[in-house]
Amino acid sequence: PGFISKHTMASVTAWWRLPVRYKHSLHGKWRVSPASEASNLRALTLDPHPHESRDEAVLRERLQELHTWQDKFWSEHNRHFQQEKRKFIDSRKALGRSHDDEIALFYKEYLDESLAKHREYNRVWWRKNFAIMWPWFRASFRRAARLWQARPRPGHRQHGSA
């Protein structure tokens, strides 16, 4: 139908033919909360699944660490931004001037001042994401091996079938 290719549909239907115990063992739960007041990021909780391999555990832990680091950075950044913005607005009110016309100047100045911090954030973000690639590859390989072992084989009866 529409946006889904025949190949995608074939793999999805093959997935649903797997025994239930394997469906749950291939993925842990990823719980996402509403956006945080401080960081404006959604909190991510990665639950382990019952048959999690060591590689999958390492990946889950690294993803959780990355998210925690991002949340900490953006919470601090947003707190500092709001603090500076409040100072700017208060200084304009003290002078009896409207801050509406000059707020764009504040934004420009703030971005210029925090450019180095944002560049460093991007460098570290790329480094951390690149470091996750190998654990992600290993965990994906383990999942694929588990799926391969769980596949229905011609001539073999599955557990519970007559």
Side-chain angles (χ1 to χ4, degrees), residues 131-151:
I132 288 175
M133 288 175 64
W134 180 245
W136 203 302
F137 170 75
R138 289 178 56 113
S140 295
F141 183 77
R142 296 273 191 240
R143 285 186 198 126
R146 202 165 40 238
L147 183 62
W148 179 257
Q149 290 172 350
R151 77 189 188 288

Side-chain angles (χ1 to χ4, degrees), residues 62 65-66 69 123-133:
R62 290 220 183 139
E65 289 168 9
L66 176 64
W69 171 78
R123 270 192 219 84
V124 173
W125 185 87
W126 277 102
R127 211 174 310 128
K128 287 178 179 281
N129 275 285
F130 191 74
I132 288 175
M133 288 175 64

Side-chain angles (χ1 to χ4, degrees), residues 32-157:
V32 180
S33 73
S36 162
E37 292 279 327
S39 68
N40 291 328
L41 297 177
R42 293 170 167 265
L44 178 66
T45 305
L46 306 171
D47 294 335
H49 56 75
H51 305 288
E52 183 176 70
S53 69
R54 180 68 195 134
D55 294 325
E56 291 167 329
V58 167
L59 173 62
R60 180 178 45 78
E61 290 163 5
R62 290 220 183 139
L63 286 170
Q64 195 72 56
E65 289 168 9
L66 176 64
H67 184 75
T68 303
W69 171 78
Q70 287 178 310
D71 189 67
K72 181 180 175 188
F73 175 86
W74 287 111
S75 294
E76 178 60 29
H77 175 272
N78 292 344
R79 185 193 59 74
H80 184 257
F81 173 79
Q82 292 300 330
Q83 191 177 28
E84 293 297 315
K85 184 178 171 185
R86 176 59 40 208
K87 280 189 214 173
F88 175 81
I89 291 172
D90 290 345
S91 71
R92 294 305 183 253
K93 283 182 182 177
L95 296 172
R97 296 165 47 186
S98 171
H99 65 275
D100 296 337
D101 298 335
E102 299 175 5
I103 198 76
L105 296 173
F106 164 75
Y107 289 139
K108 172 74 171 121
E109 287 175 18
Y110 186 81
L111 287 174
D112 289 344
E113 290 172 7
S114 59
L115 182 62
K117 190 185 330 181
H118 286 148
R119 280 191 179 144
E120 181 59 22
Y121 169 81
N122 283 333
R123 270 192 219 84
V124 173
W125 185 87
W126 277 102
R127 211 174 310 128
K128 287 178 179 281
N129 275 285
F130 191 74
I132 288 175
M133 288 175 64
W134 180 245
W136 203 302
F137 170 75
R138 289 178 56 113
S140 295
F141 183 77
R142 296 273 191 240
R143 285 186 198 126
R146 202 165 40 238
L147 183 62
W148 179 257
Q149 290 172 350
R151 77 189 188 288
R153 296 185 181 111
H156 290 90
R157 290 192 326 197

